[in-house]
Amino acid sequence: MNLLRPRIVLLALFVLFVIGAAISTAFGVETERAVAVAVLGGLTLLVIGLSILGRMAMHWRILASMGVGVVGGIAAANLGSADIVADTVAPMGKLFLNLLKMVAVPLVLFSLVAGVASLNDTSKVGRIGGKTILLYLGTTAVAIALGLLVASVVRPGSSITEETRQSLLSQFSDKAQEAIDKAGAVEGQMGVWDFLISVVPTNPFGALAVPEMLQVVLFALLLGLALTRLGAAKAEPVVTLFQRLSDAVIELVHMVMKLAPLGVFALIAGVLADLGKDPEKLEEVGTALLSYMATVLLALFLHGLLVYTSLLAALSKVPIRKFFRAMVPAQLVALSTSSSAATLPVTIDCCEKGVGVDEEVSSFVLPIGATINMDGTGLYQGVAAVFIATVYGMDLTLGQQLGIVLTAALASIGTAAVPGVGLIMLVIVLKQAGIPAEGVGLILAVDRPLDMARTVLNVTGDATVCTIVASSEGLIEADAGAEEGSAGEP
Ligand code: ASP
């Protein structure tokens, strides 16, 4: 019986992996690949151990697994075995990502309908909506301006030589063209009417299926409002049904989050193995773009540190430490998935269970935020625009900079929150400012790691606004956070 204890099973599997690697080497499999298999197998078992053993808080488990993922990815790349990671480890990450996406739409639909239908004051919806949009637009505009400012001070493009510029542009010209083409398709639909029309679903079931998050939010909101007009007696069974379904989906989020350590490990290992496939090229572009990357990261950090903390301190009653502690799981998932949309269920859970935000605010404010509020992305576009302009020997005028703030803010509303979309929006911003759009080729090599970082800020920004709005409406529970079962705690 004792032999079935998890620690023993994991250890036995680990030993089997090592023996397997030794045997494969003896039978002629390249040593490096056999070592890579043993290392990756061992690390995967370690992460499984981390997920199921001990009493560690979930965010520590995720953080530790992320570290293991970094080691695994770098080791595999150095052993020339990035393909093994892509074939065997990365799919586990995709699985986790799909599970997160699976719960996002039902979570928003059920909890928003239940939340709005149980409101006794429906004018609240308009008020919450107004505050939300104002704060989202305001924080995004500040983020873009901060990006422009930090980049203008640091001037990260000034050290790029003509030779490096040509080399980067030619290496990434295909991918740059791809981004330009995609931007062309989005660009035509950025008017106010286009936006409003795109938010109203002609078929709500179609919106759920795609999914079109803003359309889902609008439909859920209207259905909830319609239920309040039916009268309590008639609406009650439906509201209770939606409430229970929402409870069940939240439970599902907790079940999915049990896999977070493994998922995060696999996603990070996949990204790093892929990045490290060609170490010489990585070194070359990494050195050239180091100051650009450092500038983006510095500005992201400053925005989180200065803007969010002061907004939270001034406009909410939630202690800053408590807020950031509660958000760690969502930030780690955002870092590894590079997608605010996929992280949405975790963000909702962290805000509700960790910060204490009421469901009716979180299920309304956060899905809108995941779709239209991208502070990190806007900020990165500010830095990237200055960087690219500098490399092309251009100085941006105040008018151009204001144009960048406006276009980047609008572009973030018009585009979905998926990995890499910031790059497509950047093309639109560059064109508007009169900077050569093919200049995106200059920064493509390091887009993925920066995408990971900016997604963390995007998600933190959504949660900050959600917390402030809930606080201002008195829809926040002061003693939340100690509760078991949130995404933050096992
Ligand atoms: N990946 C980002 C997000 O989902 C968007 C981007 O910056 O590309 O928030």
Side-chain angles (χ1 to χ4, degrees):
M1 190 63 192
N2 264 355
L3 282 177
L4 288 178
R5 291 169 89 178
R7 277 189 182 77
I8 299 177
V9 173
L10 289 174
L11 194 67
L13 284 171
F14 182 67
V15 173
L16 278 180
F17 259 111
V18 176
I19 297 174
I23 295 177
S24 356
T25 318
F27 278 93
V29 174
E30 264 177 65
T31 317
E32 288 199 336
R33 293 183 75 73
V35 172
V37 171
V39 168
L40 289 170
L43 293 180
T44 308
L45 293 172
L46 181 69
V47 172
I48 295 175
L50 266 172
S51 323
I52 57 176
L53 300 176
R55 301 182 56 80
M56 226 192 275
M58 183 51 101
H59 58 270
W60 289 119
R61 292 177 200 262
I62 302 179
L63 201 64
S65 309
M66 199 171 258
V68 179
V70 171
V71 174
I74 294 178
N78 280 320
L79 292 164
S81 303
D83 58 321
I84 298 182
V85 177
D87 293 341
T88 58
V89 178
M92 291 190 285
K94 180 86 182 125
L95 207 80
F96 175 61
L97 200 65
N98 281 4
L99 284 168
L100 283 175
K101 289 184 183 164
M102 174 186 87
V103 285
V105 174
L107 179 60
V108 172
L109 177 72
F110 299 144
S111 56
L112 190 52
V113 173
V116 175
S118 44
L119 281 179
N120 34 30
D121 170 13
T122 46
S123 67
K124 249 189 206 165
V125 176
R127 222 174 38 230
I128 293 177
K131 287 181 196 171
T132 303
I133 301 293
L134 215 69
L135 279 164
Y136 278 156
L137 285 179
T139 47
T140 305
V142 171
I144 303 162
L146 184 70
L148 287 167
L149 180 75
V150 175
S152 307
V153 174
V154 180
R155 294 191 65 79
S158 51
S159 58
I160 300 274
T161 60
E162 176 59 26
E163 193 192 343
T164 315
R165 180 177 95 166
Q166 291 308 339
S167 143
L168 286 170
L169 285 176
S170 64
Q171 275 181 60
F172 295 97
S173 63
D174 288 354
K175 281 193 178 165
Q177 193 51 49
E178 209 178 291
I180 294 172
D181 293 345
K182 284 188 184 155
V186 183
E187 227 172 354
Q189 307 150 12
M190 273 181 46
V192 176
W193 280 114
D194 289 319
F195 174 71
L196 291 177
I197 289 170
S198 74
V199 172
V200 183
T202 47
N203 173 1
F205 298 100
L208 291 166
V210 176
E212 285 287 355
M213 202 45 103
L214 289 184
Q215 296 188 351
V216 173
V217 168
L218 183 79
F219 175 67
L221 203 73
L222 294 177
L223 189 62
L225 284 175
L227 280 166
T228 62
R229 295 164 67 96
L230 276 187
K234 279 192 190 167
E236 204 263 341
V238 185
V239 179
T240 310
L241 175 70
F242 273 93
Q243 187 60 60
R244 293 298 156 264
L245 283 169
S246 153
D247 295 346
V249 180
I250 289 172
E251 204 41 52
L252 200 53
V253 175
H254 295 161
M255 287 159 64
V256 172
M257 279 305 282
K258 298 246 186 289
L259 289 176
L262 197 62
V264 162
F265 155 75
L267 287 165
I268 294 286
V271 171
L272 283 176
D274 190 48
L275 273 177
K277 255 188 329 212
D278 192 346
E280 273 140 42
K281 193 163 123 197
L282 184 69
E283 200 183 320
E284 183 196 322
V285 293
T287 320
L289 297 175
L290 204 63
S291 64
Y292 160 69
M293 285 199 284
T295 311
V296 175
L297 295 176
L298 172 73
L300 288 174
F301 179 73
L302 286 179
H303 188 75
L305 190 74
L306 303 178
V307 180
Y308 296 155
T309 47
S310 24
L311 281 177
L312 283 167
L315 303 174
S316 87
K317 295 174 197 75
V318 176
I320 290 166
R321 248 179 88 89
K322 176 181 172 180
F323 172 82
F324 280 100
R325 262 181 80 105
M327 291 316 298
V328 173
Q331 289 171 329
L332 295 178
V333 172
L335 186 74
S336 40
T337 58
S338 286
S339 165
S340 308
T343 311
L344 181 62
V346 192
T347 319
I348 293 181
D349 198 49
C350 290
C351 279
E352 288 179 4
K353 298 290 189 316
V355 184
V357 175
D358 201 286
E359 175 188 70
E360 72 204 49
V361 176
S362 59
S363 59
F364 177 37
V365 176
L366 291 172
I368 297 181
T371 322
I372 70 167
N373 183 51
M374 297 187 204
D375 294 0
T377 305
L379 180 152
Y380 135 90
Q381 287 168 0
V383 178
V386 174
F387 172 77
I388 296 170
T390 313
V391 176
Y392 277 96
M394 297 167 69
D395 265 329
L396 295 178
T397 62
L398 191 65
Q400 276 172 311
Q401 301 205 17
L402 284 176
I404 289 174
V405 174
L406 208 70
T407 324
L410 286 179
S412 73
I413 298 177
T415 40
V418 290
V421 74
L423 196 77
I424 296 161
M425 288 149 63
L426 179 62
V427 171
I428 301 173
V429 170
L430 292 180
K431 275 192 187 167
Q432 188 281 334
I435 305 167
E438 63 277 10
V440 291
L442 294 169
I443 53 165
L444 265 165
V446 292
D447 192 58
R448 180 66 205 228
L450 293 182
D451 190 3
M452 296 162 76
R454 64 193 189 236
T455 309
V456 173
L457 199 79
N458 289 347
V459 164
T460 313
D462 299 344
T464 303
V465 170
C466 177
T467 304
I468 292 171
V469 171
S471 235
S472 73
E473 292 289 328
L475 290 169
I476 202 153
E477 208 186 300
D479 55 356
E483 209 170 325
E484 286 262 310
S486 73
E489 300 303 326

